[in-house]
Amino acid sequence: MAAATKSLSALLAQTTIDDHDEYLQAANAALKKSKTDTQAHHVRAIALLHLDRFEDALKVFEAVKELQEQARFAYAYTLYKTGNAAKAVEVAGAGSSDADRGMKHVLAQAAYRSENFAQASRVYRELASQGVEDEEYDIRINSGAVDAQLEWSGQGELAQKKKPAREDLDVFETAYNAACASIARGEFAQGDICLKRAIDRCNGLEDMSDAEKEAEILPMKVQQVYILTQMGKIDEAEQLVTTIPFSEIKEFSTRHIAQANSIAASKDHSNPYLSHRLFHSSPEPPKTDQFFSYQTNLLRQDEYVISLLSKKAAGVASSTEKVISASPAPSLSPAVNMAAVLNAAAHSRSATTEKAALKQILPLLEKRPTDVGLILTIAHLYVLTGNHAAAAHLLESFFSRLSQSGTASDLDVRFAPGLVATLVSLYAQQRRPGAARSELAKAAEYWRKPHKSKTEAPSKSLMVAAGTALLDTHNQENINTAGEIFKSLYDQDNNDRAAIAGLVAAYSISDPSNIPADLKEYLPDANRLVSDIDTAALEQAGVPALAQPSSTAATESKKRAAPSKAVPNRAKRIRKARMPKEFDPNKKMDAERWLPMKDRSYYRPKGRKGKKKAEGFTQGGVVEEKASAPVQQQGGGAVKGKKKGKGRK
């Protein structure tokens, strides 16, 4: 082995090699003499990396285990380039140090590709703080890309920039990243401006060929189609699609997205079967060109919707059921909850109204009582039918079950910002501000406690809403809690206007001395607040006296006075269904029609027996007094006459 190493070293020292193919040939020649030559394997792996033969380089590292530790940087880079980003993060993270900037760059890139955007952002901040001038441009570009992905993944509070700066629009890469971040926040007008700026900057470059410019601009046009469709400019989007040559897009993932956007932007794809065929016409992207999670979820959703439109409800129900059953419930995964929503849509495909859809979907809730996507779908249908109380009760029952469970995963779902916001919105519709404040306070208390979560920081919008609600209670304990919430938000971002306003409002009530000196500059001067008030005029006008009520007025009744004229009663309209067949509206109805015939005043019985019997009827008549027995005076008292007996014994 030593002889082989010496021959390779001598060969490399005696010759001048500028071509990496020659390095590879020299390493192969040395390995023919000794297959255990570690240095020859090392040279071979580096040569393969320079020749972009990443899969072959990975085979070298897998065959020679000791080379993985000896050439850790090259091994991590090889893993990253072959699509093993998660493994690359482990390798680069174990060998990263403050002095090893190259390893940190690999770590940041691998973390970005493995969708650990919080870690990537942290590493780029560390690299930027060290102030290496040659790397400033690349770090700024990559940091902008990380910020955009943080916005897409729902972790926008960790982004370094919330608005594009002027220097971001000077270069097409940073302008494009600023456009993507704006789109992720839903700021489509701002994103459109940044995107047009990026295309103009790219076209203006002189050190790039036309083919290179076209390769850079095509993904921007695909993004522009998405912006136009979201802004409702379908005609412009359809026109732009005709200028995009799909076959010239090199990245298969971008080509597939462009194909999907063209279907959404075109009015010609009204036939769902043709749209289904066109959607599946794009080739599958390789392992090194995979979609991000949010892109995968949206594309899968598009696929399910097109299948439903193509009368394939049974297939959608079956495939979504597999996705749901493969994940533990409850889940906050967008992919699982999206599958649950479309599974409900597949089961209620025949329903024509919201109420009919509810009847078909509610049985699914008995089978999957902790399915977040299904519960939100049912709640949405309740809202569409105007039954906000049922929607709120559904979420309250779900939250109660999760609270009783007490597991960390269930509690994360219980206090998920999106679910809490949904219930608070329902409370607002029902005019229940107390319940909304209580729910926000409980959520804020939970997320302020240290616990393991997928995100490194609680939802900023949730904490701001909770702090604001606590301030509105005017309770000292709640105001102190609101101050703590806004203080933590201010510590995360001292330029956040919501955090500044909440912190000043809370401390001005609880303890004004705790307000930081730099925040007092935000408070307006008192003289400016009263500059438009004429104090002399107020003093001259004096204090208005309230009118004292008179003694007679106090004794008067507060009841509404009766109308001076009799108001005629409005005739009650009778439904046609309740009218007799031969009913004449012009004929006056009998007022005694509800009484039995024999009790009516105009009743005249027929025959002698009927007339004699009628004489005994006393309803409404005079009762005749019959002659009583004579009364005799006998002794001191009066006694009634004796009745005639029936007989003697």
Side-chain angles (χ1 to χ4, degrees):
M1 176 178 176
T5 303
K6 183 177 180 180
S7 62
L8 177 60
S9 301
L11 177 63
L12 296 176
Q14 294 174 3
T15 58
T16 302
I17 301 178
D18 296 328
D19 191 355
H20 293 288
D21 281 323
E22 296 182 24
Y23 280 110
L24 182 60
Q25 293 175 6
N28 289 336
L31 289 173
K32 287 181 179 179
K33 298 178 182 179
S34 175
K35 294 184 178 180
T36 59
D37 188 348
T38 306
Q39 185 180 15
H41 283 294
H42 191 176
V43 173
R44 184 169 182 268
I46 299 302
L48 290 170
L49 287 176
H50 281 286
L51 295 171
D52 293 342
R53 293 171 58 180
F54 304 111
E55 293 292 342
D56 293 334
L58 182 61
K59 293 178 182 178
V60 174
F61 283 107
E62 290 176 346
V64 186
K65 300 296 184 182
E66 59 268 26
L67 199 60
Q68 297 178 6
E69 185 63 33
Q70 181 180 341
R72 181 178 289 272
F73 171 78
Y75 179 46
Y77 182 74
T78 303
L79 290 170
Y80 165 70
K81 296 297 290 185
T82 52
N84 298 296
K87 181 67 174 176
V89 170
E90 295 180 10
V91 175
S96 177
S97 63
D98 293 338
D100 193 351
R101 294 185 62 83
M103 187 69 81
K104 280 192 173 184
H105 277 284
V106 174
L107 175 60
Q109 291 278 19
Y112 174 84
R113 189 59 257 188
S114 62
E115 301 193 33
N116 193 343
F117 305 118
Q119 183 181 13
S121 178
R122 184 171 58 252
V123 174
Y124 278 126
R125 281 198 300 268
E126 294 174 359
L127 291 171
S129 63
Q130 297 173 3
V132 178
E133 187 175 353
D134 295 341
E135 300 177 359
E136 181 181 358
Y137 177 71
D138 291 335
I139 292 175
R140 190 154 61 90
I141 293 174
N142 293 342
S143 296
V146 172
D147 283 351
Q149 294 297 339
L150 284 171
E151 297 286 357
W152 277 116
S153 61
Q155 305 177 72
E157 65 274 2
L158 302 179
Q160 298 183 46
K161 289 184 179 181
K162 302 298 291 185
K163 289 185 178 181
R166 179 174 297 180
E167 62 269 13
D168 293 332
L169 302 180
D170 294 338
V171 186
F172 84 89
E173 293 98 337
T174 54
Y176 178 61
N177 288 334
C180 293
S182 298
I183 296 169
R185 290 190 296 267
E187 301 169 356
F188 299 112
Q190 180 68 48
D192 191 28
I193 294 173
C194 294
L195 204 54
K196 290 178 180 178
R197 180 74 171 183
I199 294 174
D200 291 341
R201 285 294 183 184
C202 186
N203 281 324
L205 293 176
E206 298 179 355
D207 56 346
M208 292 178 65
S209 64
D210 292 340
E212 292 173 336
K213 292 179 183 178
E214 186 69 14
E216 296 287 350
I217 290 175
L218 280 178
M220 300 184 200
K221 288 186 175 181
V222 173
Q223 195 74 286
Q224 200 169 14
V225 171
Y226 175 78
I227 290 180
L228 293 173
T229 54
Q230 292 298 312
M231 295 175 69
K233 300 179 180 180
I234 305 299
D235 293 334
E236 295 182 31
E238 188 174 15
Q239 178 62 31
L240 183 60
V241 166
T242 60
T243 65
I244 300 177
F246 298 128
S247 59
E248 295 183 13
I249 301 176
K250 296 180 180 180
E251 297 178 347
F252 285 170
S253 60
T254 306
R255 187 186 301 181
H256 187 64
I257 293 173
Q259 200 76 55
N261 288 351
S262 69
I263 296 174
S266 178
K267 298 177 181 178
D268 296 335
H269 299 306
S270 57
N271 188 331
Y273 302 99
L274 293 178
S275 299
H276 187 276
R277 180 179 178 183
L278 183 62
F279 184 86
H280 292 86
S281 63
S282 300
E284 287 292 327
K287 185 179 180 181
T288 56
D289 184 28
Q290 289 295 307
F291 301 107
F292 287 103
S293 295
Y294 74 92
Q295 293 174 325
T296 302
N297 294 337
L298 290 174
L299 289 171
R300 189 173 297 166
Q301 177 180 335
D302 292 341
E303 180 182 3
Y304 288 149
V305 170
I306 292 176
S307 297
L308 286 175
L309 294 175
S310 303
K311 309 299 182 183
K312 298 183 180 183
V316 173
S318 175
S319 58
T320 51
E321 183 67 31
K322 293 178 181 178
V323 176
I324 297 169
S325 59
S327 176
S331 173
L332 293 176
S333 169
V336 175
N337 292 325
M338 178 271 299
V341 173
L342 289 168
N343 180 268
H347 281 88
S348 61
R349 185 68 180 134
S350 60
T352 56
T353 63
E354 290 83 2
K355 291 185 178 180
L358 275 172
K359 290 182 179 179
Q360 296 180 1
I361 295 175
L362 282 174
L364 297 176
L365 188 61
E366 299 178 2
K367 300 178 181 178
R368 307 198 303 267
T370 57
D371 190 331
V372 176
L374 179 60
I375 289 173
L376 289 176
T377 302
I378 295 174
H380 181 63
L381 289 173
Y382 276 137
V383 171
L384 291 178
T385 57
N387 196 347
H388 295 88
H393 178 70
L394 177 66
L395 283 177
E396 288 170 346
S397 302
F398 177 53
F399 285 177
S400 178
R401 293 195 300 271
L402 295 180
S403 298
Q404 292 174 1
S405 170
T407 62
S409 58
D410 286 357
L411 290 177
D412 276 354
V413 176
R414 160 65 182 88
F415 295 104
L419 293 177
V420 172
T422 303
L423 183 56
V424 169
S425 298
L426 291 172
Y427 284 153
Q429 288 289 334
Q430 296 177 279
R431 298 182 179 180
R432 298 169 61 186
R437 281 194 296 265
S438 175
E439 185 63 32
L440 287 170
K442 287 188 289 186
E445 181 182 0
Y446 175 78
W447 288 110
R448 288 173 61 208
K449 294 179 181 178
H451 67 287
K452 294 183 179 180
S453 179
K454 293 183 179 179
T455 57
E456 295 189 358
S459 170
K460 174 188 169 184
S461 58
L462 173 64
M463 302 306 288
V464 170
T468 305
L470 291 173
L471 283 176
D472 291 340
T473 61
H474 302 290
N475 178 278
Q476 188 60 44
E477 184 179 354
N478 291 342
I479 291 173
N480 293 337
T481 304
E484 295 174 3
I485 291 174
F486 286 116
K487 182 64 169 63
S488 63
L489 294 175
Y490 177 73
D491 292 339
Q492 296 175 17
D493 183 6
N494 56 9
N495 293 320
D496 185 2
R497 298 176 66 87
I500 293 171
L503 184 61
V504 172
Y507 281 174
S508 62
I509 300 173
S510 60
D511 190 359
S513 61
N514 280 339
I515 301 178
D518 54 340
L519 294 186
K520 292 182 180 179
E521 300 177 358
Y522 288 90
L523 296 175
D525 187 27
N527 293 329
R528 193 179 72 183
L529 295 176
V530 298
S531 60
D532 58 343
I533 298 177
D534 189 350
T535 56
L538 289 175
E539 291 179 357
Q540 185 177 3
V543 179
L546 296 176
Q548 296 297 329
S550 61
S551 59
T552 56
T555 60
E556 291 179 356
S557 174
K558 294 183 179 179
K559 294 183 179 180
R560 187 177 60 182
S564 58
K565 296 182 179 180
V567 180
N569 293 330
R570 187 177 179 182
K572 186 175 180 181
R573 185 166 175 257
I574 304 175
R575 297 181 184 178
K576 291 185 177 180
R578 295 182 177 271
M579 293 181 182
K581 293 182 179 180
E582 300 178 356
F583 176 73
D584 185 4
N586 298 322
K587 184 178 179 181
K588 185 178 179 180
M589 289 186 290
D590 184 6
E592 299 181 1
R593 64 187 181 277
W594 307 113
L595 299 175
M597 181 60 71
K598 64 183 179 64
D599 294 339
R600 300 183 189 181
S601 61
Y602 53 83
Y603 174 66
R604 298 290 182 270
K606 296 180 180 180
R608 184 183 301 174
K609 291 183 179 180
K611 291 180 181 179
K612 205 168 188 178
K613 188 177 181 181
E615 293 176 356
F617 296 159
T618 60
Q619 182 171 353
V622 179
V623 179
E624 295 182 357
E625 295 184 0
K626 293 183 178 180
S628 60
V631 179
Q632 296 179 355
Q633 295 290 336
Q634 186 175 18
V639 293
K640 292 184 179 180
K642 294 181 180 179
K643 293 183 180 179
K644 186 177 180 180
K646 293 184 180 179
R648 294 183 180 178
K649 290 185 181 179

